[in-house]
Amino acid sequence: MINRSSSLLLSLLAAAALAGPVSAQDAPSDTPSDAVEDIVVTARRIEGPMWEVRRGDSVLILVGSIDGLPRDMEWRTDALISAVERADRVLFPVQGQASLADVGRLLWRMRTLTRLPGDRTSADYLSPELEARVEQVTGEGPSRKSMLMLSADLMEHGGYARRARPVSEVVRRAARTNRTPAEPVGVFRGDEMVDKILTTPPEAYVACITAAVTAAEAHPEEAAQRAEAWRLRRVPAVLASSLDQATNACSYWAVMGQGETLRGIWNTAVDEALAETGVTVAIAPLRLLAELGGVLDRLEADGLEPLGPEWRPSTP
């Protein structure tokens, strides 16, 4: 049960608990232009959405990642690894710093994490129509599971891979192996995250459950189509998939109402990267990059030219 939930709302906390922080190192002060071009050419061969942004002597390579990619999915990682190994610095998504005490609190409050309060069921929080849809998917009556656990079940029905293979995992390993300077764009305290998870009322998950059951009702092949669209850089198709919309709606940031905070963190990180000489590779959530008014739209509005796949839906 812990593994399943960590793939969704607890992903940041679980990652922090199971892996030590990535240490930032001093980046080289100067990178020859021919080396920069070599890295950029290599990065253009990356499978998955990637954009190149230049400002003066700064080059930012934005790699759009999605959650729930199955570990057995075939996609070439060699170009991504090579670009990371030769970059001046690497940026990872926001990282939670969880202590053993934080993990202990979660284990001690396991019932709160996995069950609804008292004798309540999902029918006490969902509309009759939504409850009926959930029961149709699960094949059971009103659920006693917490909304966190119920959303995880529905996401799995929709094709979300419980044993996911995050893009950041591939990059993190490459950065460590080559001692490439790397750091998260931001850090959240584990105790604050635990408090939010344990005290957020079930009602806050209604939008998540709605999106998750919609993904579960979709054609079974849609999850595979989403993964393939990501690999082939068909960004609008990825964002339009019901599973991707559910993944966003059920993220920690959405459920906890922290979406604007996350956008602010990434906008600041991108601006700082473009003020640094050399090449920065950043692994960022694809939806945050490509959504209306997202990072790519903002960079273009600032007069920069993100080179890469089209991220906006085509106009009829």
Side-chain angles (χ1 to χ4, degrees), residues 54-204:
R54 293 175 182 255
R55 176 182 281 163
D57 294 329
S58 299
V59 177
L60 174 62
I61 296 171
L62 291 165
V63 181
S65 66
I66 61 174
D67 292 329
L69 291 174
R71 285 188 175 274
D72 59 357
M73 172 184 167
E74 294 184 3
W75 59 284
R76 298 199 314 271
T77 61
D78 52 334
L80 178 57
I81 291 173
S82 181
V84 167
E85 290 175 343
R86 290 184 286 169
D88 295 291
R89 65 197 69 85
V90 176
L91 296 178
F92 290 107
V94 174
Q95 178 175 298
Q97 288 188 341
S99 66
L100 290 177
D102 297 327
V103 177
R105 284 183 62 205
L106 281 177
L107 295 176
W108 182 59
R109 299 287 299 278
M110 183 59 64
R111 183 174 178 80
T112 302
L113 187 68
T114 61
R115 307 287 286 182
L116 289 171
D119 295 327
R120 295 201 170 191
T121 69
S122 54
D124 292 309
Y125 302 99
L126 307 180
S127 68
E129 178 188 5
L130 183 56
E131 174 64 27
R133 293 171 63 193
V134 170
E135 293 181 21
Q136 180 66 31
V137 169
T138 62
E140 302 174 354
S143 177
R144 292 289 311 282
K145 294 179 181 179
S146 69
M147 292 297 183
L148 168 63
M149 302 305 295
L150 180 58
S151 67
D153 286 348
L154 293 170
M155 292 279 284
E156 192 172 344
H157 278 287
Y160 188 98
R162 193 192 313 181
R163 296 187 68 253
R165 185 190 189 191
V167 176
S168 58
E169 176 186 291
V170 176
V171 174
R172 193 183 303 274
R173 185 180 298 116
R176 285 176 174 169
T177 299
N178 203 60
R179 298 183 180 276
T180 304
E183 61 183 356
V185 296
V187 176
F188 267 46
R189 288 173 47 188
D191 57 344
E192 294 180 356
M193 297 178 74
V194 170
D195 283 340
K196 285 184 177 295
I197 292 169
L198 293 177
T199 60
T200 297
E203 292 87 351

Side-chain angles (χ1 to χ4, degrees), residues 1-11 14 18 110 113 149 152 156 160-164:
M1 302 292 278
I2 288 294
N3 288 338
R4 178 180 299 174
S5 62
S6 66
S7 67
L8 297 171
L9 189 57
L10 295 180
S11 58
L18 297 176
M110 183 59 64
L113 187 68
M149 302 305 295
E156 192 172 344
Y160 188 98
R162 193 192 313 181
R163 296 187 68 253

Side-chain angles (χ1 to χ4, degrees), residues 218-226:
H219 194 282
E221 293 182 356
E222 186 180 293
Q225 293 170 352
R226 167 182 177 258

